[in-house]
Amino acid sequence: LGTYHLIEDNSSILRLGLRLSLSDHSELRGLISRQQTDQTDNNEYISYMLPYSNLPGLGPFAPFPQATQYASSNTQSAELQCRTSDAGSATQWGAQLYRGPYVYGALDLTSNVQQVYAARQQQLNAHWQLDAQLAWEKMDIVDNLGLGYDVSLSRWLPRLGLVYTPDEATHVRLAAWRDMNADTVGDATLAPATLAGIVTKRPGDRNNLVQGVALGADMQLSSAW
Protein backbone atom coordinates (compact mmCIF):
# COMPACT_ATOMS: atom_id res chain seq x y z
CA LEU A 1 0.00 0.00 0.00
CA GLY A 2 1.09 3.54 -0.66
CA THR A 3 -0.35 6.72 0.75
CA TYR A 4 -0.32 10.47 0.20
CA HIS A 5 -1.48 13.26 2.47
CA LEU A 6 -3.28 16.54 1.95
CA ILE A 7 -2.55 18.58 5.08
CA GLU A 8 -4.01 21.95 5.99
CA ASP A 9 -2.69 23.99 8.93
CA ASN A 10 -4.43 26.93 10.55
CA SER A 11 -2.30 28.67 13.18
CA SER A 12 -2.52 31.80 15.28
CA ILE A 13 0.52 33.16 17.12
CA LEU A 14 0.66 35.73 19.91
CA ARG A 15 3.95 37.12 21.25
CA LEU A 16 4.57 39.66 23.97
CA GLY A 17 8.05 40.94 24.79
CA LEU A 18 9.41 43.32 27.41
CA ARG A 19 12.90 44.80 27.62
CA LEU A 20 14.46 46.46 30.67
CA SER A 21 17.68 48.46 30.28
CA LEU A 22 20.02 47.76 33.17
CA SER A 23 22.81 50.05 31.90
CA ASP A 24 24.08 51.51 28.65
CA HIS A 25 25.43 48.11 27.62
CA SER A 26 23.15 45.52 29.22
CA GLU A 27 19.46 44.69 29.28
CA LEU A 28 17.02 42.09 30.53
CA ARG A 29 14.49 40.61 28.09
CA GLY A 30 11.31 38.65 28.66
CA LEU A 31 9.27 36.94 25.93
CA ILE A 32 5.95 35.12 26.21
CA SER A 33 4.57 33.29 23.17
CA ARG A 34 1.50 31.23 22.40
CA GLN A 35 0.63 29.29 19.24
CA GLN A 36 -2.68 27.55 18.55
CA THR A 37 -2.67 25.18 15.56
CA ASP A 38 -5.52 23.17 14.05
CA GLN A 39 -4.64 20.63 11.38
CA THR A 40 -6.72 18.61 8.93
CA ASP A 41 -5.03 15.58 7.35
CA ASN A 42 -6.81 13.94 4.41
CA ASN A 43 -4.92 10.78 3.48
CA GLU A 44 -5.74 8.47 0.60
CA TYR A 45 -4.32 4.96 0.35
CA ILE A 46 -3.28 3.62 -3.04
CA SER A 47 -3.28 -0.13 -3.63
CA TYR A 48 -0.26 -1.61 -5.41
CA MET A 49 -1.29 -5.11 -4.38
CA LEU A 50 -4.26 -5.75 -6.71
CA PRO A 51 -2.80 -5.56 -10.24
CA TYR A 52 -5.08 -8.27 -11.63
CA SER A 53 -8.32 -7.35 -9.93
CA ASN A 54 -11.41 -7.22 -12.17
CA LEU A 55 -13.52 -5.43 -9.58
CA PRO A 56 -14.59 -1.90 -10.50
CA GLY A 57 -12.30 0.67 -8.99
CA LEU A 58 -9.68 -1.85 -7.85
CA GLY A 59 -7.13 -1.66 -10.65
CA PRO A 60 -3.34 -1.48 -10.23
CA PHE A 61 -3.48 1.91 -8.48
CA ALA A 62 -6.94 1.87 -6.98
CA PRO A 63 -7.54 4.48 -4.26
CA PHE A 64 -9.32 3.61 -1.06
CA PRO A 65 -11.76 6.19 0.34
CA GLN A 66 -10.13 9.13 2.06
CA ALA A 67 -9.72 9.04 5.82
CA THR A 68 -9.64 12.40 7.58
CA GLN A 69 -7.70 12.99 10.81
CA TYR A 70 -7.90 16.13 12.91
CA ALA A 71 -5.07 17.44 15.07
CA SER A 72 -4.67 20.38 17.41
CA SER A 73 -1.88 21.80 19.55
CA ASN A 74 -1.56 24.70 21.93
CA THR A 75 2.07 25.60 22.61
CA GLN A 76 3.04 28.14 25.25
CA SER A 77 6.55 29.47 25.76
CA ALA A 78 8.25 31.74 28.30
CA GLU A 79 11.83 32.98 27.98
CA LEU A 80 14.07 35.15 30.14
CA GLN A 81 17.34 36.49 28.77
CA CYS A 82 20.17 38.78 29.83
CA ARG A 83 22.16 40.55 27.09
CA THR A 84 25.37 42.56 27.32
CA SER A 85 27.07 44.29 24.40
CA ASP A 86 29.95 46.53 23.39
CA ALA A 87 31.12 48.10 20.14
CA GLY A 88 31.82 44.86 18.29
CA SER A 89 30.15 42.01 20.18
CA ALA A 90 27.16 40.90 22.23
CA THR A 91 26.64 38.04 24.68
CA GLN A 92 23.36 36.47 25.77
CA TRP A 93 22.42 34.05 28.53
CA GLY A 94 18.92 32.73 28.78
CA ALA A 95 16.45 30.07 29.83
CA GLN A 96 13.29 28.96 28.06
CA LEU A 97 10.35 26.82 29.14
CA TYR A 98 7.59 25.65 26.86
CA ARG A 99 4.67 23.29 27.06
CA GLY A 100 2.68 21.93 24.16
CA PRO A 101 -0.40 19.65 24.36
CA TYR A 102 -0.93 17.81 21.06
CA VAL A 103 -3.95 15.74 20.02
CA TYR A 104 -4.03 13.72 16.79
CA GLY A 105 -6.38 10.79 16.23
CA ALA A 106 -5.76 8.33 19.07
CA LEU A 107 -2.72 10.29 20.32
CA ASP A 108 -2.98 12.72 23.22
CA LEU A 109 0.51 13.97 24.14
CA THR A 110 2.02 16.84 26.13
CA SER A 111 5.55 18.10 25.48
CA ASN A 112 7.43 19.80 28.31
CA VAL A 113 10.75 21.34 27.29
CA GLN A 114 13.41 23.19 29.28
CA GLN A 115 16.38 24.88 27.67
CA VAL A 116 19.33 26.96 28.90
CA TYR A 117 21.74 28.60 26.46
CA ALA A 118 24.63 30.97 25.94
CA ALA A 119 25.04 32.90 22.70
CA ARG A 120 27.71 35.20 21.30
CA GLN A 121 27.68 37.62 18.36
CA GLN A 122 31.13 38.81 17.29
CA GLN A 123 31.98 41.36 14.61
CA LEU A 124 34.97 39.88 12.76
CA ASN A 125 35.60 42.81 10.43
CA ALA A 126 33.66 45.41 8.46
CA HIS A 127 31.85 42.76 6.38
CA TRP A 128 31.51 39.63 8.54
CA GLN A 129 29.78 38.80 11.82
CA LEU A 130 29.85 35.43 13.57
CA ASP A 131 26.86 34.18 15.62
CA ALA A 132 27.36 31.12 17.85
CA GLN A 133 25.20 29.47 20.47
CA LEU A 134 25.34 26.39 22.66
CA ALA A 135 22.21 25.17 24.42
CA TRP A 136 21.29 22.26 26.63
CA GLU A 137 17.73 21.06 26.20
CA LYS A 138 15.60 18.48 27.98
CA MET A 139 12.34 17.29 26.44
CA ASP A 140 9.71 15.13 28.13
CA ILE A 141 6.74 13.90 26.11
CA VAL A 142 3.94 12.56 28.29
CA ASP A 143 1.33 10.19 26.88
CA ASN A 144 -1.86 11.40 28.51
CA LEU A 145 -3.72 8.21 27.57
CA GLY A 146 -1.08 5.79 28.90
CA LEU A 147 -0.50 4.09 25.54
CA GLY A 148 3.28 3.89 25.98
CA TYR A 149 4.40 6.89 23.91
CA ASP A 150 6.31 8.56 26.75
CA VAL A 151 9.68 9.99 25.68
CA SER A 152 12.47 11.67 27.65
CA LEU A 153 15.48 13.17 25.83
CA SER A 154 18.28 15.60 26.69
CA ARG A 155 20.93 16.90 24.32
CA TRP A 156 23.52 19.60 23.66
CA LEU A 157 22.41 21.76 20.73
CA PRO A 158 25.01 23.86 18.84
CA ARG A 159 24.10 26.69 16.46
CA LEU A 160 26.38 28.64 14.16
CA GLY A 161 25.59 31.60 11.90
CA LEU A 162 27.38 34.08 9.64
CA VAL A 163 26.21 37.52 8.54
CA TYR A 164 27.81 39.08 5.44
CA THR A 165 27.40 42.83 4.98
CA PRO A 166 28.71 43.99 1.59
CA ASP A 167 27.40 47.50 2.31
CA GLU A 168 25.49 49.23 5.09
CA ALA A 169 22.09 48.49 3.54
CA THR A 170 22.52 44.79 2.71
CA HIS A 171 22.81 41.69 4.90
CA VAL A 172 23.16 38.07 3.79
CA ARG A 173 22.64 35.51 6.56
CA LEU A 174 23.56 31.84 6.74
CA ALA A 175 23.07 29.49 9.69
CA ALA A 176 23.27 25.80 10.59
CA TRP A 177 22.02 24.19 13.78
CA ARG A 178 20.86 21.12 15.58
CA ASP A 179 17.59 20.86 17.50
CA MET A 180 15.22 18.38 19.10
CA ASN A 181 12.36 18.85 16.62
CA ALA A 182 10.12 19.95 19.47
CA ASP A 183 7.03 22.06 19.01
CA THR A 184 7.91 25.56 20.17
CA VAL A 185 7.24 29.24 19.54
CA GLY A 186 9.31 32.23 20.52
CA ASP A 187 13.09 32.35 20.94
CA ALA A 188 14.83 35.66 21.49
CA THR A 189 18.30 34.45 20.51
CA LEU A 190 19.88 35.81 17.36
CA ALA A 191 21.26 32.60 15.83
CA PRO A 192 19.47 31.37 13.88
CA ALA A 193 15.96 32.46 14.92
CA THR A 194 16.16 35.86 13.22
CA LEU A 195 17.34 34.37 9.93
CA ALA A 196 14.22 34.64 7.79
CA GLY A 197 14.43 33.02 4.38
CA ILE A 198 14.97 29.55 2.97
CA VAL A 199 15.06 26.85 5.64
CA THR A 200 15.92 23.20 5.04
CA LYS A 201 15.42 20.63 7.80
CA ARG A 202 16.20 16.95 8.05
CA PRO A 203 14.12 15.84 11.05
CA GLY A 204 15.03 12.17 10.64
CA ASP A 205 18.76 12.79 11.11
CA ARG A 206 18.68 12.79 14.89
CA ASN A 207 22.28 11.62 15.24
CA ASN A 208 23.81 14.17 12.89
CA LEU A 209 25.37 17.40 14.10
CA VAL A 210 23.56 19.56 11.53
CA GLN A 211 19.80 19.16 11.22
CA GLY A 212 18.79 22.50 9.73
CA VAL A 213 20.24 25.25 7.56
CA ALA A 214 18.84 28.69 6.71
CA LEU A 215 19.71 31.31 4.11
CA GLY A 216 18.22 34.79 4.04
CA ALA A 217 18.93 38.34 2.92
CA ASP A 218 17.58 41.82 3.60
CA MET A 219 18.20 45.23 2.06
CA GLN A 220 17.36 48.77 3.18
CA LEU A 221 15.80 50.36 0.09
CA SER A 222 15.50 53.87 1.48
CA SER A 223 15.08 55.66 4.79
CA ALA A 224 11.40 54.62 4.86
CA TRP A 225 11.50 51.12 3.31
Side-chain angles (χ1 to χ4, degrees), residues 34-189:
R34 179 182 181 274
Q35 176 172 324
Q36 173 67 46
T37 300
D38 297 308
Q39 185 182 87
T40 302
D41 181 1
N42 291 316
N43 57 76
E44 186 166 302
Y45 293 92
I46 308 299
S47 172
Y48 298 96
M49 303 175 65
L50 303 171
Y52 305 109
S53 173
N54 294 321
L55 297 176
L58 294 179
F61 303 100
F64 285 83
Q66 286 190 350
T68 301
Q69 298 279 1
Y70 299 96
S72 64
S73 64
N74 183 359
T75 303
Q76 302 178 55
S77 171
E79 183 171 359
L80 184 64
Q81 179 190 95
C82 181
R83 173 181 170 86
T84 61
S85 62
D86 55 31
S89 65
T91 304
Q92 298 165 329
W93 300 269
Q96 184 181 34
L97 303 174
Y98 51 93
R99 182 176 185 272
Y102 174 74
V103 178
Y104 175 72
L107 297 178
D108 186 345
L109 309 174
T110 299
S111 298
N112 297 287
V113 181
Q114 303 89 42
Q115 182 184 117
V116 292
Y117 62 83
R120 175 80 173 180
Q121 292 81 48
Q122 180 67 50
Q123 192 74 34
L124 302 178
N125 54 43
H127 299 291
W128 291 95
Q129 175 182 305
L130 177 67
D131 293 356
Q133 176 183 312
L134 183 62
W136 181 86
E137 184 171 300
K138 185 178 187 296
M139 177 174 64
D140 294 306
I141 300 177
V142 179
D143 181 1
N144 300 319
L145 300 179
L147 300 178
Y149 293 104
D150 294 340
V151 175
S152 181
L153 297 172
S154 60
R155 186 171 295 162
W156 289 100
L157 304 176
R159 298 179 177 182
L160 188 64
L162 282 173
V163 181
Y164 173 58
T165 308
D167 54 66
E168 292 184 355
T170 307
H171 300 84
V172 179
R173 307 168 186 269
L174 175 66
W177 68 93
R178 188 187 194 195
D179 61 24
M180 299 268 274
N181 300 307
D183 298 325
T184 181
V185 291
D187 199 343
T189 58

